[in-house]
Amino acid sequence: FLVSLHPYLLAIARASSTGATPSEEMNGTGNLMDFLDEPFPDVSTYEDFHTIDWLREKSRDTDRHRKITTKSKESYWELIKSLLDAWSGWVVMLLIGMLTGTLAGVIDLAVDWMTDLKEGVCLSAFYYSHEQCCWTSNETTFDDRDKCPQWQKWAELMTGHSEGAGAYVLNYFLYVLWALLFSFLAVSLVRVFAPYACGSGIPEIKTILSGFIIRGYLGKWTLLIKTVTLVLAVSSGLSLGKEGPLVHVACCCGNLFCSLFSKYSKNEGKRREVLSAAAAAGVSVAFGAPIGGVLFSLEEVSYYFPLKTLWRSFFAALVAAFTLRAINPFGNSRLVLFYVEYHTPWYMAELVPFILLGVFGGLWGTLFIRGNIAWCRRRKTTLLGKYPVLEVIVITGITAVLAFPNPYTRRSTSELISELFNDCGALESSQLCDYVNNPNMSRPVDDIPDRPAGPGVYSALWQLALALIFKIVITIFTFGMKIPSGLFIPSMAVGAIAGRIVGIAVEQMAYHHHDWIIFKNWCRPGADCVTPGLYAMVGAAACLGGVTRMTVSLVVIMFELTGGLEYIVPLMAAAVTSKWVADAFGKEGIYESHIQLNGYPYLDVRDEFTHRTLATDVMRPRRSEPPLAVLTQDSTTVEDVETLIKDTDYNGFPVVVSRESERLIGFVQRRELTVAIKTARQKQDGVVSSSVVYFTEDNPQVAEACDPQPLKLRRILNLSPFTVTDHTPMETVVDIFRKLGLRQCLVTRSGRLLGIITKKDVLRHMAQMMNQDPESIMFN
């Protein structure tokens, strides 16, 4: 009985959703032939290397939310499901924060151990780093806190001698050998298992968050290989950091958890909200700066950042920071390695050297960007690019050979920055704190006055000057190789070295010439009036700002990173000066420059378009090109559609009333059209190649029984495609593409279709207006 009633019951169900009567459904005058009443799989996914439609994704999420809200009133189970859906975003943030914090802690511990492994090994526990090994020892002294019997260098372990030329040469050789081994393993794993795991990842993350699809870039293999090779690359001693790649790692974690919830896995727009929050968690664990991470995601990475994403980014960064603090990788009960405590305020006259450090940071940023882009372009266009493994080995060998003799380049860059930031207290044994003490000078317990520099300080200055030149040159060639390579720490190291040198110079000038007018008011004899570590911190901020062009997030990251809350004004002055100087030579930071180099279709919100061109100057087709490929609303056959799809590679097709009138009806996506025809051929009887495809609202009438069954595809037709007139200024069109995240825009005149403008057309036109190669806007 139920089987016999099935057709009529189905008609009633469809009629209730469409407003037609059951009799109309049975007689074929309703939506019986609208085959897409029932959704079919994969209709919402995009092809690889294509741009998502932000408006469409937003509309689909609104429809989904409306259905859930309506159903939640029907039963308690639906209400519970709606609550779970609402809380799924916070659950995803919790999981992202926990996994990102855990991975960051493991990476920090592994890097410390493997970096020290190049110089020696802990006999009591081989998995201890140098510092951890000597923590457990009771035989350390104040003068030799870094020496203990449990820790032995390789020469001492192998030959029994720790001093002498032979021991030095053996340690030197093994240091270089370990570095080559680590870098070879890193580049080999990337090359074989996950090519997308190379580089910083931030340029690609920015492009993905702007709506571009790069399949596999945030995949599971990329996450695994990037995590492992990041440890190897940093441990090899190359001039790179782990902070930038940690943003990529965090976004991989975000993409992984998105696949567990249909709310995010089936909506590319919602997925990007999660990835924006994941980027904040990545910076949070990279620097121990949760608030700075949120601001970094907002200022530097994200393209679309609604208020809800701001809250969730804050929560993800918080959870990630808590998790990292629980692991305590640095062993100091703090989130960061660079925590400092300065006991001296800064004075107004010091703004002059702070601004000079900002100028240096801007010049360094310009030099680095131009040099690195030139080298990367050469890598792309010469044989060098065909041998990435050899390039990594050669750069690693040069780095290790030149780094070992200088104690400031031999150690890890993070330890170097930590020493440069530190203030010279009574317990410091660093060479930078080798000042001449005056036993007759009375001073408070917590205040160390300025003193004349001893021989250790002058020796350290020469070594720091050589380290500065070495870091400036080698970083240009290191960033962009086929291994994970971050830029934050090397840039901070360059600035910290320059800042410490300037700080010591100002300190000694103040000591020897305290009667000068610039020092008389704020620098008295016997007082601690200059803090060289503060200059190192300001220099680090200036150089990092010059390379990345960050401002607000940079200052927040720096004071969270160091705990120097009262030094915000010097940091702000240096950051703003650095940006002004660098912008005078070019508006793009290093990430935007690499986006342009790789030809990613990224429409930067900060770019200004001031040219007086019109939409008709940019739209396709041009006069010399074939006419626009269109579909008609009621005269195109299935075979015509399939031929059009086969012969073209367009993402979609405008639908017009007829080829004579060219009046626009709507726009249909290529993928949805393909899936719809394929599904109809499988499930709907009578659909053949000669069947007419209808995009009309009314159902077509079959003239004769022998005529093929028509196919109605009204449901996949976008009836409100974004349109502009042919006389719309391109300045307005560019602004529309930026703010709405459009994929394409149709050009009309009095309702008649003239052409189409895609995102790549806009990018090509902007490149052409800036005298660049317009054909570079593609995915390389």
Side-chain angles (χ1 to χ4, degrees):
F1 176 71
L2 287 174
V3 171
S4 64
L5 283 179
H6 178 262
Y8 195 76
L9 292 173
L10 182 61
I12 292 174
R14 284 183 175 168
S16 65
S17 63
T18 61
T21 63
S23 60
E24 287 175 334
E25 286 287 339
M26 293 298 289
N27 295 330
T29 58
N31 283 345
L32 189 60
M33 285 178 294
D34 195 346
F35 196 71
L36 297 180
D37 277 348
E38 298 178 8
F40 42 84
D42 296 329
V43 75
S44 62
T45 56
Y46 296 89
E47 298 286 349
D48 202 6
F49 308 140
H50 284 65
T51 304
I52 71 169
D53 189 334
W54 284 94
L55 290 177
R56 182 167 172 271
E57 296 301 299
K58 177 68 175 175
S59 176
R60 291 179 64 245
D61 183 63
T62 303
D63 291 341
R64 183 195 65 82
H65 191 265
R66 190 181 295 117
K67 288 179 182 177
I68 290 176
T69 305
T70 303
K71 286 185 176 180
S72 65
K73 301 174 183 177
E74 297 176 359
S75 65
Y76 284 111
W77 172 240
E78 293 295 337
L79 177 62
I80 293 172
K81 285 170 66 176
S82 69
L83 292 175
L84 291 174
D85 179 80
W87 278 93
S88 62
W90 297 102
V91 173
V92 170
M93 295 305 130
L94 178 67
L95 296 173
I96 290 172
M98 293 175 66
L99 182 57
T100 303
T102 303
L103 289 176
V106 171
I107 289 172
D108 287 335
L109 292 171
V111 165
D112 285 346
W113 173 63
M114 293 181 68
T115 300
D116 291 340
L117 192 63
K118 293 186 298 182
E119 297 190 45
V121 66
C122 185
L123 300 181
S124 58
F126 76 93
Y127 48 85
Y128 277 175
S129 66
H130 189 170
E131 190 176 16
Q132 290 171 328
C133 189
C134 290
W135 278 345
T136 60
S137 174
N138 296 322
E139 302 173 54
T140 55
T141 62
F142 175 75
D143 293 329
D144 293 322
R145 280 175 288 178
D146 60 340
K147 295 181 181 179
C148 56
Q150 287 84 354
W151 177 266
Q152 289 193 358
K153 293 188 176 181
W154 291 111
E156 184 180 2
L157 184 66
M158 294 179 177
T159 64
H161 302 288
S162 59
E163 305 293 337
Y168 182 84
V169 170
L170 182 57
N171 285 327
Y172 199 156
F173 174 75
L174 289 172
Y175 179 92
V176 175
L177 193 64
W178 277 111
L180 292 172
L181 175 62
F182 291 157
S183 63
F184 175 73
L185 285 174
V187 70
S188 299
L189 287 171
V190 168
R191 188 124 174 98
V192 174
F193 295 104
Y196 281 154
C198 67
S200 166
I202 292 181
E204 288 77 11
I205 296 296
K206 283 170 70 78
T207 308
I208 289 172
L209 289 180
S210 74
F212 197 56
I213 302 284
I214 309 179
R215 301 244 181 260
Y217 198 83
L218 302 176
K220 301 180 185 67
W221 268 111
T222 305
L223 172 61
L224 177 62
I225 299 301
K226 186 113 185 180
T227 304
V228 174
T229 55
L230 181 56
V231 174
L232 292 167
V234 176
S235 302
S236 67
L238 285 165
S239 185
L240 48 83
K242 59 182 181 295
E243 283 66 22
L246 274 174
V247 175
H248 187 187
V249 168
C251 287
C252 288
C253 295
N255 191 60
L256 176 68
F257 291 121
C258 277
S259 61
L260 303 179
F261 298 85
S262 60
K263 176 180 178 180
Y264 299 108
S265 62
K266 294 183 179 179
N267 190 299
E268 293 292 343
K270 297 293 290 181
R271 186 196 297 266
R272 274 149 183 75
E273 293 180 20
V274 173
L275 296 181
S276 293
V283 175
S284 173
V285 295
F287 292 107
I291 301 174
V294 176
L295 293 175
F296 175 82
S297 180
L298 173 61
E299 179 184 4
E300 186 64 24
V301 180
S302 296
Y303 198 84
Y304 173 64
F305 203 84
L307 190 61
K308 182 168 59 177
T309 303
L310 179 69
W311 301 333
R312 291 182 176 174
S313 299
F314 186 79
F315 180 67
L318 173 71
V319 173
F322 266 128
T323 306
L324 185 65
R325 172 64 181 80
I327 297 174
N328 193 18
F330 304 120
N332 57 4
S333 298
R334 293 193 175 96
L335 283 172
V336 293
L337 186 62
F338 307 143
Y339 188 82
V340 293
E341 290 182 358
Y342 300 139
H343 303 288
T344 309
W346 62 276
Y347 299 91
M348 287 298 295
E350 289 184 286
L351 278 178
V352 175
F354 292 156
I355 291 173
L356 290 176
L357 284 172
V359 173
F360 172 78
L363 294 175
W364 146 248
T366 303
L367 169 67
F368 172 79
I369 291 171
R370 293 191 176 181
N372 181 253
I373 293 299
W375 177 250
C376 290
R377 187 171 285 117
R378 183 174 181 81
R379 181 190 291 128
K380 278 178 172 290
T381 57
T382 62
L383 285 174
L384 185 67
K386 295 183 179 180
Y387 303 101
V389 177
L390 181 62
E391 181 192 9
V392 171
I393 293 297
V394 170
I395 297 295
T396 305
I398 294 172
T399 303
V401 168
L402 296 178
F404 187 84
N406 190 335
Y408 291 107
T409 53
R410 184 191 312 172
R411 70 186 66 181
S412 72
T413 314
S414 297
E415 291 178 0
L416 169 64
I417 296 173
S418 180
E419 182 172 339
L420 293 171
F421 280 5
N422 276 339
D423 193 14
C424 285
L427 301 179
E428 289 294 332
S429 60
S430 168
Q431 195 177 13
L432 284 168
C433 296
D434 182 23
Y435 290 92
V436 177
N437 288 312
N438 185 354
N440 298 323
M441 187 177 292
S442 60
R443 58 180 184 267
V445 176
D446 62 342
D447 189 23
I448 305 297
D450 286 344
R451 296 156 291 169
V457 173
Y458 288 110
S459 174
L461 285 176
W462 280 108
Q463 292 172 339
L464 284 176
L466 293 173
L468 178 63
I469 297 171
F470 171 72
K471 288 284 185 184
I472 285 175
V473 175
I474 204 68
T475 306
I476 291 175
F477 297 97
T478 303
F479 186 71
M481 293 195 302
K482 297 301 181 185
I483 53 173
S485 52
L487 193 58
F488 284 24
I489 290 296
S491 300
M492 288 176 64
V494 169
I497 294 171
R500 188 76 185 206
I501 292 173
V502 171
I504 292 173
V506 173
E507 178 192 47
Q508 293 305 302
M509 285 176 60
Y511 176 78
H512 292 290
H513 304 284
H514 58 81
D515 55 341
W516 285 8
I517 190 168
I518 58 172
F519 299 121
K520 184 177 289 187
N521 295 331
W522 55 279
C523 201
R524 297 180 303 277
D528 182 18
C529 54
V530 178
T531 306
L534 172 60
Y535 286 74
M537 189 167 78
V538 171
C543 283
L544 185 54
V547 171
T548 62
R549 310 299 164 86
M550 294 190 299
T551 51
V552 180
S553 57
L554 170 65
V555 173
V556 174
I557 286 172
M558 287 304 299
F559 83 70
E560 281 191 282
L561 182 65
T562 58
L565 188 61
E566 61 181 299
Y567 302 105
I568 288 181
V569 173
L571 291 172
M572 290 174 69
V576 169
T577 306
S578 173
K579 179 173 173 57
W580 283 345
V581 172
D583 282 350
F585 296 95
K587 295 291 185 183
E588 296 85 13
I590 185 63
Y591 302 129
E592 290 79 16
S593 298
H594 271 268
I595 286 173
Q596 287 188 4
L597 176 69
N598 292 321
Y600 298 142
Y602 180 75
L603 192 57
D604 197 341
V605 180
R606 291 171 287 191
D607 286 343
E608 295 181 3
F609 187 86
T610 56
H611 305 281
R612 293 189 172 185
T613 52
L614 302 176
T616 188
D617 301 322
V618 182
M619 71 177 190
R620 299 292 182 94
R622 306 286 170 80
R623 290 179 181 177
S624 58
E625 296 176 346
L628 191 65
V630 298
L631 299 172
T632 58
Q633 66 173 355
D634 55 7
S635 60
T636 308
T637 64
V638 171
E639 184 179 14
D640 294 336
V641 175
E642 291 176 333
T643 303
L644 186 63
I645 292 173
K646 181 180 178 181
D647 295 342
T648 64
D649 57 356
Y650 305 132
N651 292 331
F653 305 96
V655 178
V656 295
V657 174
S658 65
R659 296 188 184 277
E660 291 75 24
S661 70
E662 292 283 337
R663 293 205 174 272
L664 182 65
I665 299 295
F667 191 84
V668 62
Q669 298 288 344
R670 174 196 187 92
R671 183 174 179 83
E672 294 188 4
L673 197 59
T674 305
V675 176
I677 292 176
K678 180 181 177 182
T679 308
R681 280 185 176 276
Q682 293 174 350
K683 296 186 177 181
Q684 186 175 346
D685 295 333
V687 174
V688 293
S689 297
S690 57
S691 297
V692 179
V693 178
Y694 285 86
F695 293 98
T696 56
E697 188 172 359
D698 298 327
N699 284 317
Q701 299 295 328
V702 181
E704 299 180 9
C706 60
D707 287 348
Q709 181 79 4
L711 175 61
K712 187 181 177 188
L713 298 180
R714 176 80 169 184
R715 280 297 179 92
I716 66 171
L717 181 65
N718 179 9
L719 293 169
S720 57
F722 205 93
T723 60
V724 295
T725 65
D726 54 336
H727 284 85
T728 304
M730 274 306 296
E731 184 179 1
T732 303
V733 175
V734 171
D735 210 31
I736 290 170
F737 268 87
R738 281 189 189 131
K739 293 180 178 177
L740 297 181
L742 295 184
R743 194 180 189 188
Q744 70 276 317
C745 174
L746 299 176
V747 183
T748 62
R749 179 191 292 170
S750 302
R752 183 172 176 270
L753 180 66
L754 295 180
I756 187 171
I757 300 176
T758 65
K759 185 177 181 180
K760 288 185 179 180
D761 290 332
V762 173
L763 288 164
R764 288 191 181 102
H765 181 67
M766 293 177 69
Q768 192 174 8
M769 291 293 101
M770 292 186 289
N771 298 317
Q772 298 174 358
D773 180 16
E775 296 306 316
S776 65
I777 307 301
M778 58 182 180
F779 184 81
N780 294 331

